Amino acid sequence: MAVDNNSCLPDEEVLQLISAYFDKQLSEEEFSQLSKWLVDDPANARWFARISAIHSDVKNALQQEDLLGFLETNDFGDDLKLMGDDLDLMIDPKNIRNMLQEAAEVEARKAKAEAITQARKAMEKTIAAD
Amino acid sequence: MTPNHSKRNAETDSDRALRRELSVLWTQSSSVVQSYIRSVVIDFHKAEGVLQETAATVAEKFPDYDQSRPFVPWALGIAKYKVLEALRSASRDRLVFDEKVVEILTSTFAELGPNVSDTQLALERCLSRVRGRPKKLLEMRI
């Protein structure tokens, strides 16, 4: 078993082993072959990691679609209806990062306002002392 | 404001900053950690359990994390111990990677870094175009 250098992809036999691994369909002998292939060459492990990431991402994308479909086809009362078209935006985990950035910006604005207030108070004190 | 009061406020701000930093880093890296765990722990529910354990330990140990170093390898290091624990408890299963393979995969995922999840957007677009029987087949397969 080797990496097919023409296409730079692992050969068909390896791809089938990896697929069977994720389907829990490997025999003990095939599993040993796969383990040996992973140890043989760091490039093999890189291919395996990339393929694993695709499997995982597909699973996540399908779960997200399922959840959205479920929410769209079920009546969850007025609370959920209020979310309306923004529902997919709220569930998308990428929005968590945006929310954190927004929160950081709010904190920064608060800190700036606080600093200005403190500076103004200090100035007032100085003027009063003069 | 008393010095004690001011010190308490400073600690709270620092904790808050740390929590915010952890949230951002975990959001960026969790899909890589999840892919890594799923690549070794094939059972879906066990893998989710390992991910939760990992997330809890990452949060617990985050104050010890050296922020000058990349986050993904650090989080994967924690995930590796959780994965090995899970594999040890599943040692009766025939098809479980040994420690050497787990070690190799840990460093491979660490090399790939957060960019490995860049494919997620492209995949979501592709999947939204798949309909009917092929879609059903894909759902059954995954």
Side-chain angles (χ1 to χ4, degrees):
Chain A
M1 267 193 302
V3 173
D4 178 348
N5 288 326
N6 292 327
S7 65
C8 296
L9 265 169
D11 63 27
E12 190 55 35
E13 190 191 348
V14 176
L15 290 175
Q16 284 189 7
L17 276 184
I18 296 172
S19 280
Y21 168 72
F22 285 113
D23 288 342
K24 301 179 194 169
Q25 297 293 322
L26 282 185
S27 66
E28 277 184 67
E29 192 190 335
E30 288 168 330
F31 183 73
S32 302
Q33 273 181 287
L34 178 63
S35 298
K36 185 180 176 305
W37 180 79
L38 284 170
V39 175
D40 277 351
D41 186 341
N44 296 348
R46 277 196 289 277
W47 273 113
F48 181 80
R50 284 186 197 133
I51 294 168
S52 302
I54 290 172
H55 267 263
S56 181
D57 287 347
V58 169
K59 198 174 283 210
N60 287 342
L62 287 174
Q63 278 177 342
Q64 194 170 323
E65 273 192 26
D66 265 1
L67 181 63
L68 285 173
F70 176 74
L71 292 173
E72 279 164 8
T73 53
N74 287 278
D75 185 6
F76 288 92
D78 291 339
D79 286 350
L80 205 59
K81 279 175 193 160
L82 285 174
M83 295 177 185
D85 295 336
D86 293 335
L87 195 58
D88 56 341
L89 291 174
M90 296 183 72
I91 290 168
D92 190 337
K94 283 181 281 296
N95 285 316
I96 293 172
R97 197 185 308 170
N98 292 340
M99 287 162 68
L100 288 167
Q101 277 165 357
E102 282 168 20
E105 283 164 18
V106 169
E107 288 291 329
R109 276 200 297 274
K110 271 189 196 167
K112 197 175 171 185
E114 177 68 18
I116 290 170
T117 310
Q118 294 298 332
R120 191 176 295 153
K121 278 182 185 167
M123 200 178 286
E124 281 169 3
K125 261 188 190 171
T126 315
I127 292 167
D130 287 345
Chain B
M1 197 186 292
T2 64
N4 277 346
H5 186 210
S6 140
K7 193 179 170 192
R8 259 203 312 276
N9 276 349
E11 281 168 357
T12 307
D13 287 347
S14 146
D15 288 348
R16 214 177 288 154
L18 209 61
R19 271 203 306 275
R20 191 183 304 134
E21 184 67 21
L22 169 63
S23 303
V24 171
L25 289 170
W26 183 250
T27 304
Q28 288 168 343
S29 315
S30 61
S31 73
V32 180
V33 178
Q34 185 180 45
S35 298
Y36 161 72
I37 293 169
R38 283 175 174 174
S39 77
V40 185
V41 182
I42 287 298
D43 181 273
F44 174 78
H45 296 290
K46 278 186 192 162
E48 290 302 297
V50 172
L51 180 65
Q52 282 172 22
E53 287 273 324
T54 303
T57 307
V58 163
E60 200 179 307
K61 294 195 178 291
F62 191 65
D64 303 334
Y65 161 63
D66 175 358
Q67 301 206 13
S68 66
R69 289 169 170 273
F71 180 76
V72 169
W74 181 75
L76 284 172
I78 291 173
K80 184 184 82 177
Y81 285 103
K82 300 294 172 186
V83 160
L84 288 173
E85 269 175 30
L87 295 186
R88 270 194 284 275
S89 70
S91 57
R92 283 183 187 173
D93 291 353
R94 293 171 303 123
L95 310 182
V96 168
F97 285 133
D98 63 30
E99 207 165 325
K100 186 178 178 189
V101 176
V102 174
E103 190 70 57
I104 287 170
L105 288 175
T106 311
S107 38
T108 305
F109 272 88
E111 268 175 45
L112 293 179
N115 293 335
V116 77
S117 62
D118 286 351
T119 50
Q120 187 143 11
L121 268 180
L123 276 171
E124 280 169 15
R125 283 196 199 108
C126 290
L127 285 171
S128 67
R129 292 180 195 158
V130 183
R131 296 264 177 265
R133 290 180 68 191
K135 183 69 171 280
K136 270 269 175 277
L137 198 63
L138 197 57
E139 284 168 354
M140 285 165 72
R141 173 85 170 37
I142 294 292

